[in-house]
Amino acid sequence: MKKNKYSLKKIAKTMVIAVFALAFVACTGNFEDLNTNPYEVNTADLSIEAQLIKPLTYVYAPHQNMFQFYTNLSVDLFGGYFMTPHNFGGGGNADYKLNQGFCGGVYENFYLNIFNTTSSMIPICTEKKLTDYAAVLRIVQAYAAIVATDSYGPMPFKSVLEKSETLYYDTQKDIYAYLFQDLEKAINEIKQFTASNPSDERKAGLAKFDYWCDGDHAKWIKVANTLKLRMAIRLSKVEPALAQTKAEEAVAAGVLTNADTDILINKNLSNELWRMFAWGDCGMNASLVTMLTGYEDPRLPLFLTKNTGDVTEDTGKKDTDDKPILKVLVPKGTLYVGVRAGCTLPSKPNAWVNYSGMNVQEHTPLPVMKVAETYFLRAEGALRGWNMDGTEKDLYEEGIRTAINNDYKYYNPFAADAVKPTDEIITAYINNTTAKQSDFVDPADATNNHKAMNTLSVKWDAGASKEEKLQRIITQKWLANFPISNESWAEFRRTGYPKLFPVKNNSSNGTIDTDVQIRRLIYSNVEYNTNKAELDKAITLLGGPDNGGTKLWWDTNAGASNF
């Protein structure tokens, strides 16, 4: 076979250069070189288990530049959880003037740090009869591939697995079909392995690299089924019959429940979200803050801090040392306040950098999958008339209970103002009929203010329309999934819920509708530079131009009924 001039190796090299260059644009300070360190051990000389750690950890990249590039400059902004308190001198994504380099992070993290390993090591593990290892890699690969294709649309996928001479793109529909099959294969591989009566030593091998489930084979099956359920719900409008079949299969086979723990990587790795706040490059999104404050949500002091510094304005006067005299608008530590998307904000330092922060520290465990999500997925399935082993009301309320209890366990070690939510507090939250989202008030600039957009209370209403019931389910799932932005952004695009504050300034030149909001990331400049011929074909498969307003395959009837 001829050498593929568009090989993953060549693309990966270009990606390294792109990410390294980004460091000088996005941040300040000294940065690690992402290129290969000549003094590092060659990964091929490591044990197989040691080689398999990287793809499991890079689903929430534990590297400062890659994390910012992967999610914090794009997906984190669009999912409604976070917002940059400045806009990189007009070069960021917050106002929809999309920066092609910033938009490339999801693509490049997937190929460079995840797919590059999984696609090569699955056959090796299979050949060495390490079938449970191969199965775990298939599940991780599916998890990451969903994130990637749900960000862009068509992607090179089967061409990588086939080691094709040409890195051709697959449609999103074909990628989903392949992933459903591969997840089934992974489930069967794990079942066959455990049924083969392996030795204790052989079973323990998985734990050497299993940063998700700590070597628990049965839990990996639940993770795979939960991914199937997540994918099925995503297809509920575009392929409703297939979605129902796959969802019911997943629930019948066993998904994550509150008998399980959340999937968190608790291996003393660096949670780079803390660094984004430390750099002054990340703030809390006004949509999230106003939902938590308005709902009187017990997770508010778990998730967030009050303003991290005095919020001030320049009085226009100077002191005897010729320094500006500042007026304190909000004293430090007195207000929960977020940043609205798309505002014209000055370079840091500024007032908005001192708004609310997040209770995250350097070694806070990395979030991968929340158990509570499965209850909300099942609640929506039940609402659609599918067999989800429960009613929509019961599953919705159990999702809330699970989310609040698990988030307390997760954030309590890092939240100074945390108060353990008692059963009475959680029940009162579930039954609240009056608390609703707060209006957004920007203390530093009233022109950024916006009226609340979500007018439903938390309490389940059996007499409400299906649309209102779905809004409640998705809103609580959105709160439960914090801070996993990729899933929340995908569900916002699919359903329109919760309603997120629109950007104040839309600089997309008409390619993105302000009210409908951004629908996808644009393709990486790496692909334009290394694989343009196939990328041009991919844009045809996309069904629209390569801009942020083009909808993905499953993104149908946006703004219309979900039923």
Side-chain angles (χ1 to χ4, degrees), residues 24 30 110 151 159 179 209 224 250 308 361 376-377 411 515 521:
F24 295 96
N30 296 319
F110 174 64
S151 296
S159 57
L179 295 179
F209 71 93
T308 57
Q361 296 178 14
F376 296 114
L377 292 169
Y411 288 100
D515 295 324
L521 301 182

Side-chain angles (χ1 to χ4, degrees), residues 316-361:
K317 300 177 182 179
K318 294 186 177 182
D319 62 18
T320 55
D321 293 325
D322 202 34
K323 293 181 179 179
I325 297 175
L326 303 178
K327 177 183 177 181
V328 176
L329 302 173
V330 183
K332 178 181 177 180
T334 59
L335 182 68
Y336 289 108
V337 59
V339 182
R340 182 181 167 191
C343 296
T344 302
L345 304 180
S347 298
K348 60 181 180 181
N350 62 36
W352 293 267
V353 172
N354 290 338
Y355 282 16
S356 287
M358 180 182 168
N359 285 315
V360 60
Q361 296 178 14

Side-chain angles (χ1 to χ4, degrees), residues 135 138-139 141-142 157-158 161 173-189 224 227-228 231 242 246 249:
R138 292 183 198 280
I139 297 167
Q141 181 173 271
F157 192 77
K158 285 187 277 188
L161 297 175
K173 180 177 181 178
D174 286 345
I175 293 172
Y176 263 71
Y178 180 91
L179 295 179
F180 275 128
Q181 294 175 358
D182 217 33
L183 286 170
E184 282 300 325
K185 187 169 186 177
I187 290 167
N188 289 331
E189 285 175 333
L227 280 176
K228 279 184 60 179
M231 292 167 62
L242 175 65
K246 294 298 183 183
E249 285 177 0

Side-chain angles (χ1 to χ4, degrees), residues 353-466:
V353 172
N354 290 338
Y355 282 16
S356 287
M358 180 182 168
N359 285 315
V360 60
Q361 296 178 14
E362 184 173 6
H363 298 300
T364 298
L366 314 184
V368 177
M369 181 180 284
K370 302 286 198 74
V371 169
E373 179 192 354
T374 62
Y375 287 98
F376 296 114
L377 292 169
R378 291 165 60 193
E380 180 177 346
L383 183 63
R384 294 183 180 279
W386 306 348
N387 183 0
M388 295 286 101
D389 193 25
T391 68
E392 58 262 38
K393 176 182 183 293
D394 290 345
L395 292 167
Y396 169 78
E397 293 182 351
E398 191 59 36
I400 295 173
R401 290 186 185 279
T402 301
I404 294 175
N405 282 320
N406 285 0
D407 279 333
Y408 177 76
K409 296 173 188 175
Y410 182 20
Y411 288 100
N412 178 51
F414 315 103
D417 298 328
V419 176
K420 181 175 175 57
T422 63
D423 289 341
E424 291 77 15
I425 289 174
I426 297 174
T427 298
Y429 177 78
I430 290 172
N431 290 328
N432 197 316
T433 60
T434 58
K436 300 171 184 178
Q437 182 185 23
S438 303
D439 294 338
F440 173 59
V441 177
D442 189 331
D445 186 348
T447 66
N448 298 332
N449 295 355
H450 201 287
K451 284 288 190 182
M453 300 182 67
N454 298 274
T455 59
L456 296 181
S457 63
V458 175
K459 185 175 174 61
W460 187 258
D461 181 357
S465 66
K466 281 190 173 183

Side-chain angles (χ1 to χ4, degrees), residues 9-53:
K9 185 174 181 180
K10 178 179 179 181
I11 290 178
K13 183 177 180 181
T14 309
M15 290 174 182
V16 167
I17 295 170
V19 176
F20 185 52
L22 175 76
F24 295 96
V25 178
C27 315
T28 60
N30 296 319
F31 301 98
E32 299 169 19
D33 187 344
L34 292 183
N35 213 334
T36 302
N37 184 336
Y39 302 105
E40 283 183 336
V41 175
N42 188 330
T43 54
D45 296 332
L46 301 174
S47 69
I48 284 184
E49 290 85 0
Q51 294 180 60
L52 303 185
I53 292 172

Side-chain angles (χ1 to χ4, degrees), residues 113-427:
N113 295 315
I114 300 171
F115 202 24
N116 193 35
T117 299
T118 57
S119 63
S120 61
M121 294 303 295
I122 288 171
I124 291 173
C125 291
T126 301
E127 181 182 354
K128 292 181 177 294
K129 302 189 185 308
L130 301 171
T131 52
D132 58 331
Y133 291 15
V136 164
L137 292 180
R138 292 183 198 280
I139 297 167
V140 173
Q141 181 173 271
Y143 178 103
I146 294 167
V147 172
T149 188
D150 284 354
S151 296
Y152 301 100
M155 297 281 290
F157 192 77
K158 285 187 277 188
S159 57
V160 175
L161 297 175
E162 296 165 356
K163 296 181 171 32
S164 170
E165 291 187 27
T166 302
L167 278 178
Y168 63 85
Y169 283 64
D170 296 291
T171 65
Q172 193 172 30
K173 180 177 181 178
D174 286 345
I175 293 172
Y176 263 71
Y178 180 91
L179 295 179
F180 275 128
Q181 294 175 358
D182 217 33
L183 286 170
E184 282 300 325
K185 187 169 186 177
I187 290 167
N188 289 331
E189 285 175 333
I190 294 174
K191 287 180 176 179
Q192 289 166 8
F193 169 77
T194 55
S196 68
N197 195 29
S199 67
D200 290 342
E201 181 181 3
R202 174 63 186 83
K203 284 190 294 185
L206 179 61
K208 295 178 182 178
F209 71 93
D210 180 7
Y211 281 20
W212 288 21
C213 300
D214 296 320
D216 187 338
H217 289 82
K219 193 171 184 179
W220 273 105
I221 292 177
K222 293 181 180 181
V223 171
N225 280 318
T226 301
L227 280 176
K228 279 184 60 179
L229 178 58
R230 177 189 286 182
M231 292 167 62
I233 288 292
R234 192 88 85 243
L235 307 188
S236 57
K237 291 196 291 185
V238 68
E239 295 274 5
L242 175 65
Q244 180 175 355
T245 297
K246 294 298 183 183
E248 291 180 344
E249 285 177 0
V251 171
V255 295
L256 292 169
T257 70
N258 53 22
D260 302 297
T261 56
D262 288 343
I263 308 300
L264 307 171
I265 300 176
N266 192 8
K267 299 293 182 179
N268 209 38
L269 297 177
S270 182
N271 186 324
E272 292 300 330
L273 194 51
W274 81 271
R275 201 184 310 268
M276 302 301 105
F277 283 93
W279 282 347
D281 286 345
C282 187
M284 302 312 306
N285 195 298
S287 291
L288 177 67
V289 179
T290 53
M291 292 290 279
L292 291 170
T293 55
Y295 279 146
E296 300 169 7
D297 197 302
R299 289 164 289 191
L300 175 62
L302 289 173
F303 290 172
L304 310 183
T305 70
K306 293 180 180 178
N307 56 304
T308 57
D310 290 342
V311 177
T312 62
E313 69 175 359
D314 192 336
T315 63
K317 300 177 182 179
K318 294 186 177 182
D319 62 18
T320 55
D321 293 325
D322 202 34
K323 293 181 179 179
I325 297 175
L326 303 178
K327 177 183 177 181
V328 176
L329 302 173
V330 183
K332 178 181 177 180
T334 59
L335 182 68
Y336 289 108
V337 59
V339 182
R340 182 181 167 191
C343 296
T344 302
L345 304 180
S347 298
K348 60 181 180 181
N350 62 36
W352 293 267
V353 172
N354 290 338
Y355 282 16
S356 287
M358 180 182 168
N359 285 315
V360 60
Q361 296 178 14
E362 184 173 6
H363 298 300
T364 298
L366 314 184
V368 177
M369 181 180 284
K370 302 286 198 74
V371 169
E373 179 192 354
T374 62
Y375 287 98
F376 296 114
L377 292 169
R378 291 165 60 193
E380 180 177 346
L383 183 63
R384 294 183 180 279
W386 306 348
N387 183 0
M388 295 286 101
D389 193 25
T391 68
E392 58 262 38
K393 176 182 183 293
D394 290 345
L395 292 167
Y396 169 78
E397 293 182 351
E398 191 59 36
I400 295 173
R401 290 186 185 279
T402 301
I404 294 175
N405 282 320
N406 285 0
D407 279 333
Y408 177 76
K409 296 173 188 175
Y410 182 20
Y411 288 100
N412 178 51
F414 315 103
D417 298 328
V419 176
K420 181 175 175 57
T422 63
D423 289 341
E424 291 77 15
I425 289 174
I426 297 174
T427 298

